[in-house]
Amino acid sequence: RKEEELDSKDAIILHQFSRPTNGVPSLSPFCLKMETYLRMADLPYQNYFDGKLSPQGKMPWIEYNHKKVSGTEFIIDFLEEKLGVNLNKHLGPHERAVSRAVTKMVEEHFYWTLAYCQWVENLHETQKMVSLFGPFSDLLKWILCHLTKGIVKREMYGHGIGRFSEEEMYTLMEKDMRTLAGLLGDKKYIMGPTVSTVDATVFGHLAQAMWTLPGTRPERLIKGELINLAMYCERIRRKFWPEWHHEDDNTLYESEESSEASKTYSPLQDFSFYSRTETFDEEGNSISQTPDTDYTGHSLFDSDVDMDECRDQEQCK
């Protein structure tokens, strides 16, 4: 097939794996991290699901003004430099150091235990979620998933974590999840009341445990004992992914941040353009209005929303 030429002039083109069939945006923690970051930073972008890896063999990667950048950390650095965005500007030096340490724990350690659960132990369920269509799609999915299983096991062995027993790997996974739960506590986001880059990273990984690993130990842990992590995932999903609806949605994770507006969904974005928008009030003043805000520009899901006051003002009908 003749390859389509992309014009990335003043446009962010995000290359990533195809959407899974279960309604989750991505089975890749790093693809989900990158797309969530773009939404958190309020950067318009266009998805491109060509399956083509970057020149470094990475996924996801972006094109901007004909410049190709891969590796989520380098992509974020590039966008900060070129577009002046910075989700960490409210953090002090100590908080930035903690944020980076958490990011590395999640991406260099927790990730591998998730990959094992997703592509080795729970491969049969993962295979059902892979999106492939056309003749022999079932056979191709089987081949693709088993090739991925072999790659994951080989890379885990090279990393070192794959040399432990399954029980030992799950022990390490549980320690990482408990560390995240302890760090989050009763805060809205990892570093406090305001979202930062580390939240895109943590969400991209925890979302796999929440929505792509049915019946597994990480899912039971996050939806059971570590309920604050489940509420954290729901909080980010509803705020930055208003069109993402999962068939297993449960009011167990809802709080005063939820509203009837959060139960209105549209399909996930595919090749289409995504941007959070601005509107204007009757006097011509700009109001930042996103899928999770009301006409005043106030977030429907902020933790400081007083629901009793809202009911009195009949704003939550």
Side-chain angles (χ1 to χ4, degrees), residues 186-198:
D186 60 358
K187 299 194 300 295
K188 187 175 182 181
Y189 300 113
I190 295 295
M191 301 308 297
T194 306
V195 72
S196 57
T197 302
V198 69

Side-chain angles (χ1 to χ4, degrees), residues 86-121:
N86 189 350
L87 294 182
N88 297 332
K89 60 185 177 182
H90 62 285
L91 301 180
H94 175 74
E95 292 172 312
R96 289 171 185 259
V98 171
S99 177
R100 178 164 177 79
V102 172
T103 296
K104 293 301 110 180
M105 179 195 77
V106 170
E107 293 186 346
E108 306 297 339
H109 194 265
F110 181 50
Y111 163 76
W112 289 109
T113 56
L114 278 176
Y116 175 83
C117 190
Q118 194 171 42
W119 294 102
V120 180
E121 188 201 15

Side-chain angles (χ1 to χ4, degrees), residues 166-290:
E166 180 179 296
E167 188 61 34
E168 288 171 327
M169 281 190 283
Y170 277 118
T171 297
L172 296 174
M173 170 186 278
E174 183 172 333
K175 286 183 177 181
D176 287 343
M177 293 181 71
R178 291 188 184 279
T179 297
L180 291 173
L183 181 63
L184 176 64
D186 60 358
K187 299 194 300 295
K188 187 175 182 181
Y189 300 113
I190 295 295
M191 301 308 297
T194 306
V195 72
S196 57
T197 302
V198 69
D199 291 298
T201 301
V202 174
F203 174 74
H205 288 73
L206 287 180
Q208 307 303 318
M210 273 286 288
W211 293 294
T212 72
L213 297 171
T216 61
R217 292 168 66 172
E219 187 203 48
R220 293 195 299 269
L221 190 60
I222 196 173
K223 292 183 178 180
E225 188 176 347
L226 306 181
I227 195 69
N228 67 328
L229 294 182
M231 296 181 70
Y232 167 81
C233 287
E234 281 289 352
R235 185 177 303 123
I236 293 179
R237 187 189 74 156
R238 291 173 185 244
K239 185 174 181 65
F240 297 103
W241 290 90
E243 77 277 30
W244 172 3
H245 173 56
H246 194 267
E247 60 183 8
D248 295 330
D249 278 352
N250 195 314
T251 55
L252 174 65
Y253 309 117
E254 293 182 9
S255 66
E256 71 274 10
E257 298 169 359
S258 302
S259 70
E260 290 301 318
S262 69
K263 298 180 175 60
T264 302
Y265 304 95
S266 58
L268 281 174
Q269 308 289 322
D270 282 339
F271 288 90
S272 53
F273 187 75
Y274 179 87
S275 176
R276 300 169 77 185
T277 60
E278 279 201 340
T279 57
F280 297 86
D281 61 18
E282 295 179 353
E283 298 179 1
N285 298 317
S286 175
I287 299 177
S288 179
Q289 184 168 352
T290 67

